[in-house]
Amino acid sequence: MASQAARPGAGNSAGGGRLAQFKLVLLGESAVGKSSLVNRFVQGHFSGFQEPIYGYSYKMENAKYCTQTVVLDDTTVEFEIWILYVQERLAPISSMYYRGAQAAIVVYDITNANTFSRAKSWVDELHRRAGSDIVIALAGNKSDLGSRRTVEYEEANAYAEEKGLLFLETSAKNADNVNEIFLAIARKRRPRRT
Ligand code: GDP
Ligand code: MG
């Protein structure tokens, strides 16, 4: 299979064939690693000590977005990736934020069971209020901190299967499964061949 993450700036022509564009939102408790995952995916690096906010193509008060493309066979998939700031305080507007989203990554931190509970609430919220065909991926982030794990892989995997979610444990720090989770979404989401 000839899939790869396109380089930033590779533009829309990378696949030569068809182009698919998806709006993707990231949801999850503060500090689970949403910004770090996007930074790893889009820019290919990890910043260990502060919120990485540079490099985004657009910013507004409550959300920011950037774009990145992946190439899957003959299809170039362009993700428009949205992250909310200070989500807890923005619950009332969050449905505006994910309206129209074709995909979501709900992130928790494998070392913090509260963030897993919170992730489950976000999944319920998406099922209630987002479009019924939205593709949802669950990301158990910080897989590099396995020795401090409090959420078992099997528990999260069983939950994801029950809810029909894609599921991977990821590490924005060492890049494990970061491109893979976006590729899995693109694969599930791209238009069927005719
Ligand atoms: P956000 O609030 O969900 O956007 O989380 P951030 O991306 O700002 O990350 C919060 C903290 O967790 C930062 O100190 C990051 O460096 C750290 N972090 C994020 N992802 C990982 C990871 O995969 N592994 C480890 N060890 N730390 C991470
Ligand atoms: Mg952030």
Side-chain angles (χ1 to χ4, degrees), residues 31-36 46-48 51 141-142 144-145 171-173:
V32 294
K34 298 179 298 296
S35 301
S36 299
F46 176 76
S47 164
E51 174 83 352
N141 192 43
K142 308 195 187 182
D144 56 287
L145 300 179
S171 170
K173 184 170 184 177

Side-chain angles (χ1 to χ4, degrees), residues 47-68:
S47 164
F49 55 93
Q50 60 174 313
E51 174 83 352
I53 54 166
Y54 49 87
Y56 289 89
S57 49
Y58 180 75
K59 241 176 104 173
M60 57 186 202
E61 197 181 341
N62 298 321
K64 60 191 174 189
Y65 84 78
C66 58
T67 62
Q68 173 66 308

Side-chain angles (χ1 to χ4, degrees), residues 94-169:
S94 58
S95 69
M96 281 169 56
Y97 159 78
Y98 52 71
R99 183 179 304 146
Q102 288 96 357
I105 302 180
V106 179
V107 185
Y108 69 93
D109 170 349
I110 68 159
T111 71
N112 181 339
N114 289 335
T115 67
F116 182 55
S117 305
R118 191 73 189 105
K120 291 175 173 176
S121 321
W122 279 115
V123 169
D124 289 344
E125 172 79 358
L126 285 168
H127 279 144
R128 271 197 305 270
R129 305 184 60 179
S132 58
D133 63 342
I134 190 169
V135 172
I136 304 173
L138 180 66
N141 192 43
K142 308 195 187 182
S143 62
D144 56 287
L145 300 179
S147 61
R148 287 163 44 190
R149 167 193 296 281
T150 59
V151 182
E152 292 307 320
Y153 178 91
E154 292 73 18
E155 180 189 359
N157 192 48
Y159 167 76
E161 271 181 22
E162 179 198 325
K163 298 284 180 178
L165 317 176
L166 296 167
F167 171 60
L168 285 173
E169 287 192 342

Side-chain angles (χ1 to χ4, degrees), residues 15-92:
R18 66 187 76 207
L19 174 70
Q21 286 171 299
F22 304 142
K23 176 179 175 185
L24 179 148
V25 295
L26 275 100
L27 299 169
E29 197 74 350
S30 289
V32 294
K34 298 179 298 296
S35 301
S36 299
L37 285 167
V38 173
N39 245 42
R40 169 60 77 186
F41 177 56
V42 173
Q43 302 186 334
H45 65 77
F46 176 76
S47 164
F49 55 93
Q50 60 174 313
E51 174 83 352
I53 54 166
Y54 49 87
Y56 289 89
S57 49
Y58 180 75
K59 241 176 104 173
M60 57 186 202
E61 197 181 341
N62 298 321
K64 60 191 174 189
Y65 84 78
C66 58
T67 62
Q68 173 66 308
T69 57
V70 297
V71 179
L72 278 178
D73 305 323
D74 64 343
T75 305
T76 299
V77 176
E78 182 178 277
F79 286 108
E80 180 185 292
I81 304 168
W82 286 81
I83 310 182
L84 272 193
Y85 292 122
V86 257
Q87 217 145 276
E88 301 83 331
R89 286 206 240 142
L90 292 173

